Amino acid sequence: MNKLLLKNIGNLAGAYPVAPGRLCGEAMNRVPELKDAWLAIEGERISGFGTMADTPAEDDYGQVIDVCHGWVFPAFCDSHTHLVYAGSREGEFRDKIAGLSYEEIARRGGGILNSADLLAETSEDELYASAARRLRQCARGGTGAIEIKSGYGLTVDGELKMLRVIRRLKKDFPMMEIRSTFLGAHAVGRAYAGRQGEYVDMLISEMLPAVAEEGLADFVDVFCDEGFFTVEETARILEAASRYGIRPKIHANELAVSGGVQVGIAHGALSVDHLERIGDEEISALRESATMPTMLPGASFFLGIPYGKGRQVIDAGLPLALASDYNPGSSPSGSMRFVSSLGCFKMKLTPEESLNAVTVNGAAAMGIEDMGAIFPGAYGSVFLTDPLPSLAYLQYAYTEPLIRRVILKGTSI
Ligand code: NIG
Ligand code: FE
């Protein structure tokens, strides 16, 4: 078993004696910092940490890395992405610059359906190659756990193709924790234009059983929003998925106050995501639940829509996760550092809250218990930075290439 020792860590951030679990309200505003520290990783997992005054004998370790007073952080946990996609959509980016909204582009047959057309023409191998390239970029940016959705297939074959690509990514990137989500209800496939109800029937009677039979999905998702799927359709899909034991993560309240938060909570959703538009009713419903509110500031930034009220959610005593939403139409970036900076700039989260939102709470939003923080038994997934004057510098200096090295499950990548 490989034994790795990181020594001369200027500051070890997010280290706990035991797993902190999800962090809510005021508890989000604290990140433990251990100055002048060491961290030991045995095989894939963290075996211990402490201060340099008390360093273990280096001879016991197969590899010793001198961090030279840089910081060590737990790897990012990105709980919402669509990084398997074909081609790109910078043509729509031009339309957006010229003044069209996301909804207008979608109504003209662009948007998600544009990506679905491209995906239909793309082989599984090509799709895999581009997704693997994006995933590698995410890992180099410090991401160690990630959720990836289908939703650009919108036919039985297309959805299976996407989910099989994710299965291959899981196999080929064992140093990352990857979760797959079936998002057949992302938009109505072209063959069903004007027949949304029949599309949902087909999704329940054909897509879902095929996905479940191959064990391709950890979670199910529905785009429950104005112009996409209704609360009733969402409930039907979630009930059907629950018969296969598949838990929901929901797209809700991006374009309107959709009722998506409540329907997700009623069906035991692990998370409800987007939430650019929520009010007191959604906050009260979340308070009564174990569902993780998740916001995607990269989509607000790119689309020029309102930011989620992350500050209000935390002030209400709730937990909050932030994720990248990496996708070709509303957030063509998997940078979790940028997401965390936006959390501070645009949602007025403190640097500590924002870091917890992209680590501890991101892991919880995927049901992953052994990542998101540094504690004995957790996966040894961390990123190393240059020396920083303080934790806030990570989000403040948002374009400085501060990350020197990424170690995922004990392996330098
Ligand atoms: O999370 N809102 C729905 N889905 C994606 C966008 C997908 C696309 O435009 O391709 C999102 O923002
Ligand atoms: Fe999304």
Side-chain angles (χ1 to χ4, degrees):
M1 196 198 300
N2 186 38
K3 286 181 80 177
L4 168 65
L5 178 68
L6 306 185
K7 67 171 187 179
N8 294 325
I9 300 171
N11 217 316
L12 181 64
Y16 296 82
V18 292
R22 67 179 205 159
L23 297 171
C24 304
E26 283 175 12
M28 283 192 72
N29 199 19
R30 185 177 165 264
V31 172
E33 290 179 17
L34 190 63
K35 286 192 184 29
D36 207 16
W38 57 270
L39 173 70
I41 302 174
E42 293 191 20
E44 294 189 329
R45 301 206 179 245
I46 290 167
S47 53
F49 60 84
T51 51
M52 286 304 289
D54 193 13
T55 329
E58 289 186 22
D59 295 351
D60 292 347
Y61 290 83
Q63 195 189 358
V64 178
I65 297 176
D66 188 341
V67 182
C68 299
H69 309 289
W71 285 51
V72 172
F73 290 89
F76 295 124
C77 298
D78 189 353
S79 63
H80 180 138
T81 82
H82 310 245
L83 68 69
V84 174
Y85 58 83
S88 53
R89 303 222 305 262
E90 71 276 11
E92 290 173 18
F93 172 56
R94 286 186 180 280
D95 294 341
K96 244 173 255 144
I97 292 168
L100 288 190
S101 71
Y102 184 78
E103 291 94 317
E104 282 160 343
I105 291 168
R107 269 200 299 277
R108 290 177 168 204
I112 295 168
L113 293 182
N114 195 344
S115 286
D117 293 342
L118 289 172
L119 188 126
E121 297 162 3
T122 305
S123 72
E124 197 171 307
D125 284 344
E126 286 173 279
L127 202 54
Y128 171 81
S130 64
R133 186 181 57 79
R134 289 180 203 115
L135 187 58
R136 230 171 274 122
Q137 272 175 9
C138 292
R140 289 194 191 119
T143 296
I146 194 162
E147 181 258 16
I148 311 172
K149 300 173 196 294
S150 69
Y152 293 121
L154 312 180
T155 61
V156 176
D157 287 349
E159 288 297 303
L160 290 175
K161 179 160 81 176
M162 289 190 76
L163 289 164
R164 287 179 188 137
V165 166
I166 303 173
R167 178 169 65 191
R168 224 166 124 187
L169 294 171
K170 285 185 181 182
K171 187 171 139 282
D172 294 350
F173 289 77
M175 72 300 270
M176 300 185 83
E177 280 296 281
I178 301 176
R179 296 291 180 269
S180 55
T181 299
F182 167 54
L183 176 57
H186 198 191
V188 175
R190 281 211 200 273
Y192 285 80
R195 297 184 293 137
Q196 180 153 330
E198 287 173 48
Y199 180 77
V200 173
D201 293 342
M202 185 277 290
L203 186 153
I204 291 172
S205 64
E206 294 178 39
M207 280 185 184
L208 192 54
V211 168
E213 185 173 344
E214 283 191 47
L216 288 170
D218 298 309
F219 307 117
V220 63
D221 194 343
V222 176
F223 190 6
C224 180
D225 222 319
E226 195 171 88
F228 289 84
F229 294 88
T230 65
V231 166
E232 293 70 30
E233 289 164 343
T234 304
R236 280 186 62 206
I237 294 168
L238 301 191
E239 271 151 33
S242 79
R243 289 196 282 276
Y244 294 100
I246 304 175
R247 275 185 85 177
K249 285 170 69 70
I250 294 293
H251 276 75
N253 298 46
E254 175 183 3
L255 308 172
V257 177
S258 66
V261 171
Q262 288 84 342
V263 72
I265 290 171
H267 290 83
L270 202 50
S271 69
V272 284
D273 301 18
H274 268 291
L275 313 182
E276 284 84 353
R277 299 161 210 267
I278 51 169
D280 293 344
E281 285 181 28
E282 281 74 23
I283 295 214
S284 317
L286 283 162
R287 268 222 192 90
E288 309 290 309
S289 79
T291 300
M292 177 66 71
T294 300
M295 295 184 176
L296 312 169
S300 301
F301 175 77
F302 185 80
L303 295 178
I305 62 174
Y307 284 83
K309 297 190 189 91
R311 178 74 271 142
Q312 197 183 323
V313 163
I314 296 174
D315 289 344
L318 288 166
L320 179 72
L322 298 179
S324 74
D325 198 17
Y326 195 173
N327 78 76
S330 67
S331 182
S333 161
S335 168
M336 289 295 275
R337 269 194 68 199
F338 185 52
V339 166
S340 182
S341 292
L342 286 176
C344 299
F345 305 156
K346 300 293 186 178
M347 295 176 167
K348 307 295 174 214
L349 268 50
T350 66
E352 289 77 12
E353 289 168 338
S354 191
L355 183 67
N356 284 321
V358 292
T359 53
V360 183
N361 285 354
M366 294 184 269
I368 297 175
E369 288 170 1
D370 36 16
M371 279 195 66
I374 291 168
F375 55 89
Y379 280 123
S381 298
V382 295
F383 63 87
L384 281 47
T385 70
D386 290 338
L388 309 178
S390 76
L391 185 141
Y393 197 84
L394 184 72
Q395 290 105 346
Y396 157 84
Y398 68 106
T399 59
E400 245 189 81
L402 297 170
I403 298 182
R404 276 189 198 161
R405 185 172 193 149
V406 179
I407 296 170
L408 298 180
K409 295 191 185 171
T411 304
S412 284
I413 57 139

